[in-house]
Each structure stands twice: as C-alpha cells, then as structure tokens.
Amino acid sequence: MSTGEFARGLEGVVAAESAICSMEGGLRYRGYDACRLAARKTFDEVAYLLLEGELPEERQLADFRSSIATNATLPASLAALLRALPRDSSPMDVLRTAASTLGTCDALRFDNSRAANLQKSRQLLGQLPLALAVFWRAPEGNALPNWRADASIAENILTLLGRGEVDAESVRALDMTLVLYAEHELAASTFAARVVASTLSDLHAAVTAAIGALKGPLHGGANERVIEWLRQFRSPQDAERWALEALAEKRRVMGFGHRVYKQGDPRAEFLREPCRQLAARVGQQPFEEIASRIEAVMLREKQLHPNLDWPAARIYYYLGLPIPLYTPLFVLARVAGWCAHVIEQHSDNRLIRPRARYVGPPPRDLP
Ligand SMILES: CC(C)(COP(=O)(O)OP(=O)(O)OC[C@H]1O[C@@H](n2cnc3c(N)ncnc32)[C@H](O)[C@@H]1OP(=O)(O)O)[C@@H](O)C(=O)NCCC(=O)NCCS
C-alpha cells in the first residue's frame, strides 16, 4: 500500500471526528464559547460539560462534586510511593506515576464501558490534585485537609496545595485558567491519549501517556518556562533587549506562537484583563509592564501573539503558587478533556495507525 501526502508535525491533518471542542471561529466546548464559560462557570461545571455533553443542573453538579469528594482518596501504597519518590522528581513525573499506579488498583480496571470511564474520570479529578499535594507537601509531615464536596475543585486545589484560607478572588482566578486549560481539541497530549485509547487500552493508560506528552516545553511545560524567564528582568528595557537577542539567535520565546492560532489565542486575550487586575491587587504591576514590553516586541518583530500559557503563568505567579506546579495544574484541568476524548474514542473506535514516508537506505543485501 502506498503512503499519502506527508505533513510535517501532522500540520493541518484531520485525524478524528469529535463533538467535544471546535476551534473554527473561536474556541468552543460542546458548542459553548470557552471564554464565556470561563467568565461565568466553574471548572467543575465545565468538566461535567466535557464529560457528559451538557452543562449540569444544580442537583447534577452537587452529585458530581460529591462523587469527586467521595473518591478523593489514594490507596495507601500510592501515598507511600509518593512520599518515597526523590524530592527533586519533576512533579509532572510524579503525576504520571500517580495516574499509572492508580490504574493498577482501580476497581474498574478491566472495564472500558462508558459508565466505568465516567466513574474513573470523576475519580481522577480528585485523585490527581491529591496525589500532587501528597508529594509536594510530604516534607511538612502533616495530614492534608479533606476534600470538600461543598467547595469547587479550584478551591480544593488551592487548599490542598497549602494556600491556607483562600479568598474568593484567588479561587476565581484559578478557576478561569482551569476552564481554559480544560480542553483543546487534538493538542499533542490529547492525540497521545486517543492513540492509546484506540488500541482499546484503558483510560488510566491513556491519561498516563497524555501527562508524558504535556510535560514538554513545546506543550504544557511552557508555562513554567515563561515565569523562569520573566523573573530575570529588572525593567521593560532589560526585557526588550533580551527578547530581541533571543529572536536574533532564533531561540523560542515561551508563551508565544501557536500551531493553530496564527492571529492570536482567544484564551490569552480573554485572560489579559483578569491577569492585570490580579497583578494590581498583589502589587505586581511592574512585572506586568515587563510582560507587556515583551508582547510588543514579539508582535512587532515576528507577528507572534501570546498563547494561553503567557497570562496563565503570570496568574499562578501572582497567586503565589510554586513554579514547578504550573504544568501539573494544567494536568489537573486537561484531565477533563483527555477523559472526554478517551470516552469518545472508545464509543466509535478505529485503531489510529498512520504511516511514515521511508527516507532510509535503499534495499540492500546483507554483507
Ligand atoms: C507552539 C509552537 C510549538 C507552534 O509551533 P509551530 O506551529 O510548529 O510553528 P513553527 O515552529 O513552524 O514556527 C514558525 C515560525 O515562527 C517562529 N516561532 C514560533 N513560535 C516562536 C516563539 N515562541 N518564539 C520565537 N519564534 C517562534 C519559528 O521560529 C518559525 O520562524 P521561522 O519561520 O523564521 O523559522 C511554537 O510557537 C513554540 O515553540 N512556542 C513556544 C512554546 C509555547 O509557548 N508552547 C505552548 C503552546 S500553547
């Protein structure tokens, strides 16, 4: 069989039909504008929408939250493993290990039905934040607060990660980023999840693969790099000099550019104002001035717009969250989208198995 046309990085290739997310004419989840969802709904409601197909009624939301709370526990063996991992492990590797280990002991591990996958998805929405907190806060040696069914996932995450009393504005800011991180069609990690699901492997295996894919700096890892770089600059002038230098040396500026959004990422545009407001609240306006200058340089020199990681990283910074947890926070949100895609793949499956164009040595005889 001959191979079709080659598209480097699969650019422009339509590899699935999906009813979860569309990107033409603005980002939509199940038909709803993602930025409007971020403005008006919690991540919990959006996770429900992605998984179930419709926004929840009040009762359905309460049941959803209660199910997440009931299942927000870890097997003792996993909790012990998380505490025993090297302290300098990447929290992304920790989450990947947690997802994989949870798959070994899940009561429904031999069941790939829609009902079982929905149950596993609800479990992961609580278990992954818990696993991250168990690892991150192990040195403190204290018991973690219990997951609260009467609080949103965003509030539970902030509490678990040790933010103490959390104020409504901080919860709202985190919630908006979680909604916008929750789903993005066939991003590399989601494609990885669908490839795994297409072999009729299970949801935990697909999520484990997806976390591995999200770790890289060209995908989720960009949000941590954004802040590590931004923090070096003392002034907008300093930042401009650096940005020009990076472009001249053909280095990538993290938080800019996108495979699909060439005219700007609507999610980054939406978060612009909330990010500025939060910066003003915590006295970080100078940091925003530095960020604005880099944005101006990137647009002027390369016509490159910021992507979601650019404001999301700054929001996490202003919330005082530790930098190594930024990409893991992306996981805690995107797991909703990954699970929705696994369920969709299983519901109408065909093995994903593309071809490669061979460019190696011509046929030759053994010496
Ligand atoms: C996201 C990304 C991987 C998309 O890449 P892509 O669609 O494959 O785009 P390309 O790599 O083909 O880049 C096209 C051109 O823009 C440049 N470019 C793209 N993103 C850039 C960036 N962030 N910084 C500097 N230059 C960039 C490339 O160097 C290339 O320039 P050239 O034509 O002069 O060689 C890319 O924009 C990137 O690396 N961004 C930084 C990482 C990031 O923020 N990731 C999060 C994505 S949500």
Side-chain angles (χ1 to χ4, degrees):
M1 188 193 127
S2 69
T3 54
E5 203 179 312
F6 167 57
R8 195 168 151 79
L10 297 185
E11 182 162 6
V13 172
V14 177
E17 284 192 322
S18 178
I20 300 168
C21 168
S22 59
M23 297 177 71
E24 276 75 33
L27 178 65
R28 287 175 185 271
Y29 300 164
R30 304 247 184 227
Y32 294 109
D33 183 278
C35 296
R36 291 215 181 116
L37 286 169
R40 299 192 13 212
K41 299 288 176 189
T42 60
F43 169 65
D44 314 42
E45 290 165 290
V46 169
Y48 185 100
L49 169 71
L50 293 168
L51 292 167
E52 302 277 355
E54 294 296 338
L55 282 165
E57 307 282 343
E58 209 173 308
R59 182 74 253 150
Q60 291 168 319
L61 180 61
D63 288 349
F64 186 62
R65 283 187 170 156
S66 146
S67 166
I68 294 170
T70 311
N71 290 292
T73 58
L74 300 179
S77 55
L78 174 57
L81 171 65
L82 292 168
R83 292 192 188 97
L85 289 171
R87 284 311 308 158
D88 62 354
S89 302
S90 151
M92 284 299 282
D93 295 344
V94 170
L95 278 181
R96 195 197 59 229
T97 303
S100 177
T101 310
L102 285 165
T104 64
C105 44
D106 193 279
L108 299 169
R109 62 190 175 279
F110 302 114
D111 188 348
N112 280 349
S113 66
R114 178 183 161 82
N117 280 344
L118 283 170
Q119 171 64 13
K120 292 177 198 179
S121 310
R122 284 191 290 268
Q123 287 168 198
L124 284 174
L125 283 167
Q127 285 171 324
L128 290 180
L130 192 55
L132 183 64
V134 166
F135 168 76
W136 190 252
R137 298 184 65 185
E140 296 170 24
N142 301 323
L144 292 175
N146 285 330
W147 190 280
R148 284 176 40 209
D150 62 344
S152 66
I153 295 177
E155 183 171 350
N156 275 296
I157 290 175
L158 284 179
T159 310
L160 275 172
L161 292 181
R163 290 290 317 280
E165 268 305 296
V166 290
D167 59 277
E169 280 149 322
S170 299
V171 173
R172 195 64 212 113
L174 176 64
D175 225 341
M176 283 192 275
T177 67
L178 296 179
V179 168
L180 294 172
Y181 268 141
E183 163 59 14
H184 213 205
E185 203 217 43
L186 286 196
S189 56
T190 307
F191 188 57
R194 281 192 87 124
V195 169
V196 173
S198 84
T199 69
L200 294 185
S201 186
D202 59 88
L203 183 137
H204 284 89
V207 168
T208 304
I211 296 173
L214 190 74
K215 182 184 175 191
L218 295 189
H219 193 359
N223 62 8
E224 293 176 18
R225 307 295 203 288
V226 161
I227 290 299
E228 282 159 4
W229 290 358
L230 267 176
R231 281 204 311 179
Q232 304 171 63
F233 310 123
R234 297 282 152 259
S235 67
Q237 293 76 1
D238 194 16
E240 172 153 5
R241 210 173 318 114
W242 174 87
L244 288 171
E245 223 173 81
L247 292 179
E249 290 169 12
K250 293 217 164 289
R251 276 187 276 130
R252 300 251 152 171
V253 179
M254 295 292 141
F256 286 86
H258 198 274
R259 170 60 63 81
V260 181
Y261 302 124
K262 297 301 181 195
Q263 302 308 317
D265 181 338
R267 304 166 300 172
E269 201 46 52
F270 170 81
L271 280 184
R272 183 185 293 279
E273 205 36 50
C275 183
R276 280 208 186 121
Q277 284 169 11
L278 182 61
R281 188 158 72 84
V282 299
Q284 284 279 14
Q285 295 99 324
F287 206 77
E288 283 295 283
E289 282 164 29
I290 288 172
S292 294
R293 182 67 73 94
I294 296 185
E295 270 186 46
V297 172
M298 294 300 287
L299 194 59
R300 187 183 74 216
E301 302 293 325
K302 287 286 280 186
Q303 291 76 51
L304 280 169
H305 298 265
N307 57 50
L308 172 57
D309 290 317
W310 185 247
R314 282 160 27 236
I315 287 177
Y316 295 163
Y317 188 60
Y318 303 148
L319 289 176
L321 292 162
I323 296 172
L325 301 188
Y326 292 9
T327 317
L329 283 164
F330 191 160
V331 171
L332 306 188
R334 186 59 61 88
V335 69
W338 293 330
C339 290
H341 278 271
V342 169
I343 292 168
E344 189 175 66
Q345 183 68 37
H346 278 171
S347 74
D348 181 23
N349 190 58
R350 186 153 195 242
L351 178 73
I352 298 174
R353 202 300 186 193
R355 295 294 311 279
R357 189 173 72 190
Y358 180 69
V359 293
R364 48 186 167 162
D365 291 328
L366 280 169

